[in-house]
Each structure stands twice: as C-alpha cells, then as structure tokens.
Amino acid sequence: MTLTQTLVCRYVRRAGGVFVADEVQVGLGRVGKHFWAFQLQGEDFTPDIVTMGKPIGNGHPLSCVATTQEIAEAFTATGVEYFNTFGGNPVSCAIGLAVLDVIEKEDLGGNATKVGSYLLGLLNELKNKHPIIGDVRGVGLFIGVDLVKDPEERTPATEEADYVVKRLKEEYICMSTDGPGSNVLKLKPPMCFNMEDAKFVAEKIDLILTDMKGNLKATDAVSG
C-alpha cells in the first residue's frame, strides 16, 4: 500500500469512517495476480467492508457483503432489522460455492494473468499504430483503451468510442464505454477468455480503427 493510500485510509478511520472495497467488477480473480483487487494496494491492507456481486453467481442473481464482526454488531445494535426474502437461500449459496470451486480448480486467476498480459501487449501494438488510442491500461482481464481526438490535448473521442462499440457488436463482441468522457473502451471478458479470443478482439478493433481512418481521409479529400 502506498504512503498516500495509507494516509487516506488512516484519516478516514480516524474520522469514524470505514473503508469499503467494491469488488463487484474486479474481484474473484479478475485482476489475475490477486483474488481481490484491493490486494493491489498491498498485502497488509484490509478493508472494513467488501462488496461482491454479479460474477459470484455467474449469471445467477447473487451478491454478498463481507465485513468485520465489530461493524456487523454495530449495525445490529441500532435495532434496525435487515430482512431479505431470498437472502442466504440454499440454491444461491450452492451456486456461489460452485463458482468459487471452478475459479480455483480451473485456475481462472492464472488465466486472467496470462491472457490479460497477452491482450495488453496486442492493444499496445495497436496504440503504436493508431493515434486515436491515447492509452492502454489495466491488470488481468480488466482493461481500458482510452480513445482521444488529439494525443496532445487528450480530448475524449466519445463519438468514435461509441462507433467502435457498435461496430464490435456486429462482430458479436460485446463491449461498453466508460470514463467521464465515455471514451474508454472497457474490456471485461469472461474469465475463461483465451488467447485466440484475445487475438480475435484485437484484430477486430484494429480493423474498425483502420476503417475509421480510411473514412476520415476520404472525407477530407472530398472536402478539399
């Protein structure tokens, strides 16, 4: 954990606050080298509350919250009753346990590291080829491709990112945009994503960006 993060956490707790780690999208091995993304802050860092969601059910509607006994008892002491009709039902619990078993037995965290590194490499090659890619960042199978109109000004290429996502859907690749400018292509594939899948996605992004570049040149020629 960095000094800045340590100080922030210390000040939050000193003020009576709690540190919540949202692992809904990045937990359960997606970052590869760690089971939890908050471990990227340091092995000695322990959040007060951890939230988990969709991935733990692998399609089944399931979520989970883990916290310390102290916080749980403080909640109970308020007298507020928490009630959930389907909370803790045996079917959902069995599904969640099965998902955890598969993650461990199939080493999906190791797969995230291996395939994620390969995909990052392919995307960085595209960055050198296409100026519209301002940055490629991520860890494991959680990657962002920042599209910008100008490499210097880094103006968000919002319309272009939206176009890429729509074109990818025509290739049966589901992706979304993220970030304040909705210009970051967010790659968060299934944990069973393999090398061939990574190559296929990179090739399609390359093709679409090449088409966009060609269309722009054609438009400029007509305008000139």
Side-chain angles (χ1 to χ4, degrees):
M1 195 173 185
T2 66
L3 177 60
T4 301
Q5 292 162 334
T6 302
L7 291 174
V8 168
C9 188
R10 184 185 303 166
Y11 286 133
V12 167
R13 286 172 172 163
R14 186 180 296 169
V18 295
F19 199 105
V20 181
D22 180 358
E23 297 282 335
V24 171
Q25 294 191 40
V26 293
L28 304 168
R30 177 164 291 279
V31 298
K33 52 188 170 182
H34 297 293
F35 194 79
W36 303 112
F38 68 74
Q39 291 175 291
L40 294 170
Q41 312 304 323
E43 292 292 347
D44 60 336
F45 173 62
T46 304
D48 301 298
I49 299 174
V50 178
T51 59
M52 294 154 270
K54 301 177 284 287
I56 199 172
N58 193 36
H60 179 80
L62 179 63
S63 62
C64 179
V65 175
T67 188
T68 63
Q69 183 174 345
E70 180 183 4
I71 292 175
E73 290 177 348
F75 178 75
T76 303
T78 64
V80 176
E81 180 184 11
Y82 173 76
F83 180 79
N84 187 320
T85 303
F86 301 106
N89 74 81
V91 173
S92 294
C93 290
I95 291 171
L97 289 172
V99 171
L100 293 176
D101 285 342
V102 171
I103 292 173
E104 181 179 7
K105 291 177 180 177
E106 298 186 9
D107 189 24
L108 295 185
N111 184 68
T113 295
K114 180 176 64 176
V115 179
S117 296
Y118 176 62
L119 181 55
L120 276 170
L122 294 176
L123 294 171
N124 273 303
E125 289 178 9
L126 295 185
K127 179 176 180 289
N128 295 329
K129 180 179 178 181
H130 301 284
I132 192 173
I133 299 180
D135 189 26
V136 175
R137 54 186 178 270
V139 59
L141 286 176
F142 195 78
I143 299 171
V145 179
D146 195 357
L147 300 188
V148 297
K149 293 181 181 293
D150 186 303
E152 298 298 326
E153 297 295 329
R154 299 189 62 79
T155 306
T158 305
E159 296 80 8
E160 292 83 348
D162 183 61
Y163 174 77
V164 171
V165 168
K166 289 178 179 176
R167 281 283 306 274
L168 285 170
K169 286 180 180 178
E170 296 175 6
E171 302 292 344
Y172 305 101
I173 298 172
C174 292
M175 198 178 295
S176 62
T177 57
D178 211 328
S182 297
N183 64 305
V184 180
L185 303 179
K186 183 166 70 172
L187 287 76
K188 193 185 64 173
M191 295 281 284
C192 56
F193 201 68
N194 60 37
M195 298 291 199
E196 291 182 5
D197 296 326
K199 184 178 179 182
F200 178 75
V201 170
E203 287 175 347
K204 293 303 179 182
I205 292 176
D206 182 24
L207 177 63
I208 294 169
L209 294 181
T210 300
D211 286 348
M212 288 173 56
K213 192 185 302 181
N215 293 337
L216 181 60
K217 288 181 179 179
T219 301
D220 290 343
V222 172
S223 299

